[in-house]
Amino acid sequence: THINPEGDAIGSQVATAYLLKKLGKEPTMLNDSPVPNLLQFMKGTEHILKEMPHDFNYQAVIVLDSPDLARIGRVNEYIKKDSAIINIDHHISNTNFGKFNWVEPEFSSAGEMVYDLFKAFKVKISLDEAIVLYVSIMTDTGSFRYSNTSSKTHRIVAELIDIGVKPH
């Protein structure tokens, strides 16, 4: 995700890793910037690396919540030129830099997009996953005050609360 990450960046990244694990994949999370102290309460953030493991061999790169590759900082240096980049983002300024681009400016957040992936794959959302998705959506909607907050956003958040998220 992007440098100086906030709740949507970290939340959508951790949620994606949870989803990939449930789909039988072995995800590795890598960021240029550290996880902000405020977000370290979320389970899964402790697995976000700041350095690429030596001899790491990957099949694809998923870039979340970033409009271009420059915004991911020095992580971009680790991406091989022939990599299959999957670009998942909600920013209208996205440059469609991936081999596969899923860019939805009408979505409130990358977290809302990742929620849709859980639904598309018919994967049940656990409490830990609900928490990171909630933080993601809550952050990028300004606690549900911004104009990007839709009725769909509220339906998603209601489901996450039903799973056990405590908004306080």
Side-chain angles (χ1 to χ4, degrees):
T1 190
H2 59 76
I3 56 173
N4 303 317
E6 33 59 83
D8 187 29
I10 298 296
S12 62
Q13 183 179 37
V14 173
T16 300
Y18 278 134
L19 176 62
L20 289 169
K21 285 180 188 176
K22 285 185 168 180
L23 295 174
K25 306 299 177 192
E26 296 179 30
T28 297
M29 296 181 283
L30 178 66
N31 283 348
D32 183 86
S33 304
V35 176
N37 291 338
L38 180 66
L39 300 175
Q40 290 179 9
F41 76 93
M42 296 186 296
K43 290 183 183 168
T45 61
E46 69 277 11
H47 300 296
I48 298 174
L49 305 176
K50 288 197 72 222
E51 296 293 331
M52 181 72 85
H54 293 296
D55 300 327
F56 184 70
N57 188 19
Y58 58 87
Q59 294 177 328
V61 176
I62 300 173
V63 178
L64 291 145
D65 197 37
S66 188
D68 57 57
L69 285 176
R71 187 90 168 94
I72 66 172
R74 63 186 176 81
V75 171
N76 192 20
E77 298 168 12
Y78 293 112
I79 300 175
K80 299 172 203 155
K81 293 203 184 297
D82 62 343
S83 295
I85 298 174
I86 302 164
N87 168 21
I88 301 173
D89 188 34
H90 66 108
H91 296 99
I92 197 164
S93 60
N94 192 285
T95 61
N96 291 302
F97 56 84
K99 181 175 183 178
F100 304 99
N101 297 289
W102 182 29
V103 179
E104 301 279 0
E106 66 277 3
F107 277 61
S108 71
S109 56
E112 191 171 305
M113 297 173 76
V114 175
Y115 168 88
D116 277 0
L117 288 175
F118 273 85
K119 294 302 177 180
F121 284 105
K122 296 179 175 37
V123 172
K124 184 177 179 183
I125 298 171
S126 72
L127 178 57
D128 290 337
E129 295 156 354
I131 290 169
V132 296
L133 289 168
Y134 182 91
V135 168
S136 177
I137 296 167
M138 187 266 315
T139 300
D140 261 25
T141 60
S143 297
F144 315 106
R145 295 184 322 261
Y146 298 161
S147 62
N148 63 349
T149 306
S150 66
S151 61
K152 177 185 177 189
T153 306
H154 283 289
R155 286 191 298 276
I156 292 169
V157 168
E159 180 182 334
L160 300 176
I161 291 170
D162 287 344
I163 291 169
V165 170
K166 306 270 187 266
H168 56 279

